[in-house]
């Protein structure tokens, strides 16, 4: 599998992974095909995931700028078509309490507002007619140890006080009786407003809306090189053009948006070099549960569910009664397809629901998350305001990437965006960048010990 930390380019026109989503989503919408000539555009966007599509959509709708999207493979071929489909009011991994102590209450509230706006924007776009199988609302965070319930309740108390957030506290008994009898859960908190969707259908819906608004989307068009050329008109005036090389055409653009997140190839652009850590997340989707299996687990809920481990597991019941179960994957792309990782998830699922002893999985796939050094996404640009990016969602970007795209569109159009660190500061460079994988391995070892013993 493509490994963004090691590979300098990614494949072109690769098929979707054999995921559950690709199997049930139906026929993809048509795009504008591979770019096969040289073109000059105002704005070129690299990557047709949620970030790229949202930037293009908002540029066209809100600012009258019809961008050209260049995608190496196909729409949502990256994380946007592979994720678990949890729509959550959050991005990054930084807790609100540490935002408050680092930046103060106003900034913390400002970031919370942006997370809320992300979910609102996704909901309003879905309401325009995107058929993406939304499920009932509810996001359950389960304590994987009795002690963790205390910390969940403290988080809930802070969020209730700060944001008036509607959060329900659930005992182990109530959880088992009213939601699902997860053997590994010692109580939970439940947010009323998260929900599950089919992520690939969602992306295809964004694609159609963007195309309707006048956006051009060239799939099978990998950007191999992207650099700046300066032309000196007079001694005072110099103009810069961004040059993008693709296999069958060169694009000249006034501005470029990098929307490649966890799929950004090694050394792709100096603006994002060594600024993220791509980490694999693995998903399995089981066979459909029979009525007897559902009853044995009392699996009543279709809420989206995540636990409190350092190395988190997440799951949800899909509309056809299969269980999607996810967690960490291999460390390198080379090992991504090793069935060990899918089998490990199945084994953990069975410790949560021992009645599912004979259950198998029908689908297994993985995809790259994009971790940032400060655990927050960043939407930023170069000094000349000609190259922009949004990335670093740390595994939680289904809703916020859409808000990031909206803010990116504003930046590209020269509109002021909120004065928040996520919009006003660049992604930090990883120290000892070549050793990022060693750090990740160390974190996995620490996580295993913490989750088991601490
Ligand atoms: C297994 C998994 C589960 C997840 N579950 C959730 C979840 O439930 N909830 C949640 O909020 N988040 C989740 N996430 C994270 C979420 O999917 C991402 O944050 C989000 O999809 C990022 O969107 P994006 O458009 O920025 O990047 P991507 O969707 O990764 O898109 C990047 C695109 O850029 C293209 N590209 C890269 N380089 C080039 C190039 N040189 N030229 C042209 N094209 C290029 C790639 O082909 C790719 O299609 C999950 C991620 C994974 C992998």
């Amino acid at each position: 599998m493509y490994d963004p930390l090691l590979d300098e380019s990614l494949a072109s026109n690769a098929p979707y992974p054999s995921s559950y989503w690709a199997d049930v989503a139906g026929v993809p919408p048509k795009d504008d095909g591979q770019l096969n000539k040289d073109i000059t555009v105002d704005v070129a966007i690299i990557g047709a995931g949620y970030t790229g599509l949202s930037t293009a959509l908002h540029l066209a709708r809100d600012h009258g700028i019809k961008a050209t999207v260049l995608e190496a493979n196909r729409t949502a071929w990256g994380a946007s078509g592979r994720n678990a489909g949890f729509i959550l009011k959050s991005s990054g991994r930084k807790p609100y309490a540490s935002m408050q102590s680092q930046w103060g209450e106003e900034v913390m509230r400002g970031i919370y507002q942006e997370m809320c706006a992300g979910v609102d924007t996704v909901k309003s776009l879905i309401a325009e007619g995107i058929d993406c199988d939304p499920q009932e609302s509810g996001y359950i965070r389960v304590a994987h140890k009795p002690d963790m319930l205390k910390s969940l309740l403290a988080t809930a108390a802070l969020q209730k006080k700060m944001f008036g957030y509607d959060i329900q506290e659930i005992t182990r008994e109530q959880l088992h009786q009213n939601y699902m009898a997860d053997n590994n859960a010692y109580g939970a908190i439940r947010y009323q407003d998260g929900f599950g969707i089919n992520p690939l259908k969602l992306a295809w819906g964004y694609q159609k809306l963007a195309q309707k608004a006048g956006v051009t989307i060239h799939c099978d068009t990998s950007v191999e090189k992207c650099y700046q050329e300066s032309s000196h008109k007079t001694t005072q005036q110099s103009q810069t053009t961004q040059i993008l090389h693709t296999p069958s055409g060169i694009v000249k653009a006034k501005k470029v948006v990098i929307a490649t997140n966890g799929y950004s190839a090694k050394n792709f652009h100096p603006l994002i070099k060594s600024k993220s850590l791509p980490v694999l997340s693995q998903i399995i989707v089981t066979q459909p549960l029979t009525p007897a299996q559902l009853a044995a687990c009392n699996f009543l809920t279709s809420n989206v569910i995540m636990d409190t481990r350092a190395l988190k597991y997440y799951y949800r019941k899909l509309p056809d009664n299969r269980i999607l179960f996810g967690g960490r994957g291999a460390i390198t792309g080379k090992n991504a397809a090793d069935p060990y990782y899918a089998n490990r998830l199945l084994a953990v699922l069975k410790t949560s629901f021992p009645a599912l002893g004979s259950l198998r999985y029908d689908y297994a796939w993985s995809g790259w998350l994009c971790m940032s050094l400060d655990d927050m996404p960043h939407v930023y640009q170069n000094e000349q305001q000609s190259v922009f990016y949004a990335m670093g969602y740390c595994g939680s970007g289904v809703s916020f990437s859409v808000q990031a795209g909206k803010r990116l569109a504003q930046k590209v159009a020269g509109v002021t965006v909120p004065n928040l660190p996520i919009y006003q500061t660049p992604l930090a460079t990883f120290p000892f960048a070549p050793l990022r994988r060693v750090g990740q391995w160390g974190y996995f070892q620490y996580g295993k010990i913490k989750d088991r013993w601490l």
Side-chain angles (χ1 to χ4, degrees):
M1 186 194 211
Y2 166 64
D3 190 329
L5 213 60
L6 305 177
D7 298 331
E8 299 222 347
S9 63
L10 74 173
S12 250
N13 207 23
Y16 287 115
S18 44
S19 72
Y20 172 78
W21 307 127
D23 224 15
V24 301
V27 183
K30 284 210 175 345
D31 61 78
D32 294 280
Q34 190 189 45
L35 180 71
N36 56 13
K37 58 178 188 220
D38 296 350
I39 55 170
T40 300
V41 299
D42 285 333
V43 179
I45 298 175
I46 309 171
Y50 301 140
T51 303
L53 294 170
S54 169
T55 309
L57 176 64
H58 288 102
L59 271 175
R61 278 192 180 174
D62 302 346
H63 309 286
I65 299 171
K66 296 189 176 147
T68 297
V69 180
L70 307 165
E71 163 57 50
N73 295 292
R74 39 199 86 199
T75 297
W77 177 85
S80 300
R82 300 170 189 239
N83 63 70
F86 287 29
I87 302 272
L88 304 176
K89 247 187 207 172
S90 64
S91 190
R93 288 160 48 93
K94 196 177 178 80
Y96 282 106
S98 70
M99 289 184 209
Q100 188 184 20
S101 58
Q102 188 174 350
W103 298 311
E105 192 172 324
E106 201 184 325
V107 168
M108 175 197 69
R109 283 184 190 282
I111 293 175
Y112 175 71
Q113 290 310 330
E114 290 297 298
M115 300 302 158
C116 296
V119 174
D120 291 345
T121 310
V122 172
K123 279 186 178 168
S124 70
L125 292 173
I126 292 176
E128 289 187 38
I130 299 181
D131 159 29
C132 61
D133 311 325
Q135 291 186 279
E136 67 185 22
S137 277
Y139 164 38
I140 302 177
R141 287 225 47 208
V142 297
H144 76 284
K145 282 183 193 164
D147 266 7
M148 291 310 290
L149 189 57
K150 282 190 212 134
S151 112
L152 274 184
L153 295 178
T155 305
L158 177 80
Q159 292 182 339
K160 273 184 192 172
K161 183 168 154 240
M162 288 296 179
F163 315 129
Y165 209 161
D166 186 8
I167 306 170
Q168 196 184 337
E169 294 169 8
I170 305 176
T171 63
R172 177 177 167 97
E173 292 68 37
Q174 288 164 338
L175 191 70
H176 284 211
Q177 235 168 49
N178 303 328
Y179 297 94
M180 73 287 169
D182 181 337
N183 208 31
N184 292 326
Y186 291 87
I189 57 174
R190 180 172 174 272
Y191 300 85
Q192 315 293 333
D193 51 9
F195 61 101
I197 44 92
N198 177 323
L200 186 56
K201 282 183 159 186
L202 182 66
W204 289 351
Y206 294 157
Q207 175 184 333
K208 286 188 217 162
L209 293 179
Q211 286 173 311
K212 209 165 143 201
V215 172
T216 304
I217 302 176
H218 292 292
C219 288
D220 187 11
T221 302
S222 175
V223 177
E224 295 158 338
K225 265 198 287 187
C226 173
Y227 56 91
Q228 183 164 294
E229 226 172 51
S230 300
S231 60
H232 296 278
K233 280 190 148 182
T234 64
T235 39
Q236 275 92 32
Q237 234 186 354
S238 95
Q239 222 177 30
T240 59
T241 306
Q242 302 301 319
I243 312 289
L244 289 76
H245 285 242
T246 76
S248 309
I250 289 178
V251 181
K252 289 187 174 174
K254 285 189 195 132
K255 296 184 178 182
V256 166
V257 170
I258 302 175
T260 50
N261 203 43
Y263 284 79
S264 315
K266 186 181 177 192
N267 298 331
F268 178 63
H269 196 282
L271 199 59
I272 56 168
K273 187 174 159 66
S274 303
K275 297 208 174 223
S276 63
L277 169 64
V279 169
L280 277 172
S281 190
Q282 169 84 43
I283 287 180
I284 57 169
V285 169
T286 67
Q287 306 167 292
L289 268 59
T290 62
Q293 286 171 321
L294 286 170
C297 309
N298 202 30
F299 215 131
L300 304 171
T301 189
S302 296
N303 285 183
V304 294
I305 302 160
M306 198 181 295
D307 73 10
T308 42
R309 286 177 169 88
L311 306 174
K312 292 187 176 23
Y313 293 110
Y314 48 87
Y315 64 96
R316 54 184 275 215
K317 185 173 67 161
L318 296 169
D320 56 2
N321 290 333
R322 297 171 187 271
I323 299 176
L324 176 154
F325 198 87
R328 73 183 192 283
I331 289 191
T332 60
K334 197 174 96 194
N335 294 332
D338 187 334
Y340 165 80
Y341 297 97
N343 287 329
R344 189 180 60 193
L345 289 182
L346 187 65
V348 176
L349 168 66
K350 289 178 181 179
T351 65
S352 280
F353 301 103
L356 302 181
S358 61
L359 195 68
R360 294 194 311 270
Y361 64 83
D362 282 344
Y363 303 88
W365 70 93
S366 58
W368 294 101
L369 313 175
C370 184
M371 312 309 284
S372 62
L373 189 63
D374 67 355
D375 287 337
M376 291 297 288
H378 287 257
V379 178
Y380 206 62
Q381 65 285 324
N382 63 355
E383 249 177 67
Q384 298 96 325
Q385 315 263 327
S386 51
V387 185
F388 301 75
Y389 65 79
M391 54 200 283
Y393 307 112
C394 304
S396 191
V398 175
S399 59
F400 183 70
S401 56
V402 176
Q403 184 66 5
K406 197 171 179 175
R407 294 302 187 196
L408 259 184
Q410 290 173 336
K411 284 192 170 213
V412 170
V415 174
T416 308
V417 303
N419 186 13
L420 295 170
I422 50 175
Y423 300 137
Q424 307 298 345
T425 60
L427 282 165
T429 304
F430 274 76
F432 311 111
L435 300 179
R436 277 171 284 178
R437 284 264 157 88
V438 179
Q440 181 189 351
W441 181 86
Y443 182 78
F444 279 6
Q445 302 314 310
Y446 156 78
K448 281 185 217 166
I449 294 168
K450 180 169 186 288
D451 291 339
R452 184 126 191 224
W453 306 108
L454 305 179

